[in-house]
Amino acid sequence: MYRFLLWRLAPFYVVALICEFITFGVLLSVEQNLVDWSFLPMVKTIGVLLKTSTIAFVYLMIPYMTYLCFIPANKINSPFDKNLTTIVYASFVFFMLFEETMSLVFWNRYSTSFNNKAVEYMLNVNEVSNSLTHNYMFFGYILALFVITHLIMIKSKPFLWYPKQILGIGKRIFYWLVYVACCAMIFVNFNDNELKINENNVNNELSKGGTYSLVSSFWQSKSLYLRFYMLK
């Protein structure tokens, strides 16, 4: 039973890791003079990046994991299931591409991963849209993301379907409860300060996955979002 869930989640996880590590490689080349290239610091940096990327992925996939665990067995691999999974997967790929390229833009401006400045900047929708439109050819950029998403879909879509018939919704619900419990344990026990294990601050910033740093910034921000939008 667990193989079905792993099979369905695997393409999402692979895409997430590839996007994160491509961004990591680009930033390494940009900041190569400031990075501590020693063996142990680099191992720590890559290890933390893998950790933050996995944590972000686990939380992002809660809705789809819930769907997989509660869908009736006779609907698995049905046209409805395949169409919905295709839409979810394409949206996920597009989001990862968009978020990672935005993290590069933010790094280019502030030389750091997403933080509270990113929250304040992104809350001002007009400023963000104007900046992207004038400085980064926004429409061409979005079109390019759609093209890359389509190419990724062509290559990886056949791997989305588990070839065997799945029965037993009870077991799937059990795995869903285990999944939710793991998310709760991460939320309760995880401390963001534990990520700062390198003496070099650039290494520490590079080790924060783009998705993780963005979500973490919004979660930890003290901004009064509702009040902000009411004032606007």
Side-chain angles (χ1 to χ4, degrees), residues 97-148:
L97 293 172
F98 181 82
E99 178 273 318
E100 290 302 320
T101 49
M102 285 299 97
S103 68
L104 292 175
V105 172
F106 186 80
W107 187 284
N108 181 59
R109 181 166 182 173
Y110 295 107
S111 297
T112 184
S113 59
F114 288 125
N115 52 29
N116 288 341
K117 288 183 179 179
V119 176
E120 296 171 1
Y121 178 66
M122 291 181 179
L123 281 175
N124 194 331
V125 179
N126 291 331
E127 181 180 349
V128 172
S129 60
N130 290 334
S131 176
L132 291 175
T133 302
H134 292 102
N135 299 327
Y136 297 99
M137 298 182 294
F138 184 65
F139 296 108
Y141 159 71
I142 292 295
L143 179 60
L145 292 189
F146 274 118
V147 171
I148 296 173

Side-chain angles (χ1 to χ4, degrees), residues 167-206:
L167 299 174
I169 192 172
K171 289 185 178 180
R172 282 186 279 133
I173 293 176
F174 170 75
Y175 284 115
W176 178 80
L177 292 174
V178 172
Y179 191 90
V180 172
C182 290
C183 292
M185 290 179 62
I186 293 173
F187 179 79
V188 172
N189 296 305
F190 186 75
N191 186 348
D192 192 63
N193 292 326
E194 295 175 356
L195 302 179
K196 300 177 181 179
I197 59 177
N198 282 308
E199 295 181 1
N200 187 306
N201 188 58
V202 175
N203 286 58
N204 287 329
E205 290 299 316
L206 289 174

Side-chain angles (χ1 to χ4, degrees), residues 19-47:
C19 290
E20 293 286 4
F21 276 89
I22 288 178
T23 303
F24 177 68
V26 172
L27 293 178
L28 274 180
S29 64
V30 171
E31 303 291 355
Q32 56 182 311
N33 294 328
L34 300 177
V35 173
D36 185 349
W37 291 93
S38 302
F39 177 74
L40 187 57
M42 287 305 299
V43 169
K44 291 180 180 179
T45 302
I46 294 174

